[in-house]
Amino acid sequence: MDTGAIFRGTAEAVFLAPISRIQILLQTQDVIPTLKHGKSMNGVLDCFSRIKNEEGFRALWRGAAPLIFIEIIKNVAQTIQSGRYKEIYSELTEQRKPNPNNPNNRDLVSVEYKKTVTVKQLDPSENPLAAPGIPLVAFNLASAMIVYPFMVLRTRIGADYGRRSQRQYPNMFQATKNLVNAGGIQALYKGFTPFLVFTLLNDIVYKHYVASQGNVNTSFLLHFVNDLALFPLIVLSNRLMMQTGNPSIKYKGLVECCQKTFKEFGVKGFYQGFQINAFIFGVAGSIFLLNSFTEKRQEGQ
């Protein structure tokens, strides 16, 4: 496995874990037994404050372990999909010194091998996974099936709210055991359908369309519209994940989950936790506009 992917996956998981947990709690708080009949969390700041005060600051990173696996798998999959590969060249370096008995000759002192690693981008015709089509669909389906159980574990551990004595899933291994015992292996695939639709639309339609756009402003706007349109699929997936072993929630399927969410919360129920995404887009957009303004001023001088 690529050590770079491991490092990137771990770093991203550590950074994203608090954001991920806050979003999960906002999306599922009405079906969490320890929160269902208590005071609801009103937004990101309130959720952050309650986690810190009621569970402790370190609890923001609950669910980080499966998130590390998720990010590593995603990084490896993106490397394969983009068609990047490494070529290693070995260069032989010889060091010689003058021979006192024969000045025209030099004696060999040492031989060193130097490795040069280059990363190349394959043409889509050479790597079918680098272009949209049936091979890419099959690849995304396979990678989604691998990563999804870790997403279920991340959600269930993140939604396991309360102090240590109240927790049902103290770690990833115990969570896996409890879920499989309660609902079989299919418990690790609850909510897979909306997640798969999200993956196919996001990775195939959106990424390849945006990649073909030369205008950065258009790409940035499309990225936000894409996130806005597909976010409800993640919310529904997380809510369906909560069914196994949870007497507070029972959905017959995706349609009923969608109906009950809309009936109880309205449209905003499909965007619980989206404030974080909007904030990130706002910061990123501000930085982009500032850089564009600075570059234009420098060009005009």
Side-chain angles (χ1 to χ4, degrees), residues 233-279:
L233 291 171
I234 295 299
V235 174
L236 292 171
S237 180
N238 283 337
R239 293 181 69 82
L240 287 166
M241 290 177 191
M242 295 295 296
Q243 289 191 99
T244 304
N246 187 354
S248 302
I249 181 170
K250 289 293 177 185
Y251 300 128
K252 292 179 181 179
L254 175 60
V255 175
E256 186 176 351
C257 179
C258 186
Q259 291 173 340
K260 287 187 176 181
T261 301
F262 180 76
K263 183 178 180 180
E264 187 169 355
F265 303 103
V267 175
K268 68 178 182 180
F270 300 102
Y271 288 94
Q272 293 168 325
F274 189 75
Q275 303 98 310
I276 294 177
N277 296 48
F279 175 77

Side-chain angles (χ1 to χ4, degrees), residues 269-294:
F270 300 102
Y271 288 94
Q272 293 168 325
F274 189 75
Q275 303 98 310
I276 294 177
N277 296 48
F279 175 77
I280 293 172
F281 272 109
V283 172
S286 300
I287 294 173
F288 171 74
L289 290 174
L290 180 61
N291 288 337
S292 298
F293 178 73
T294 304

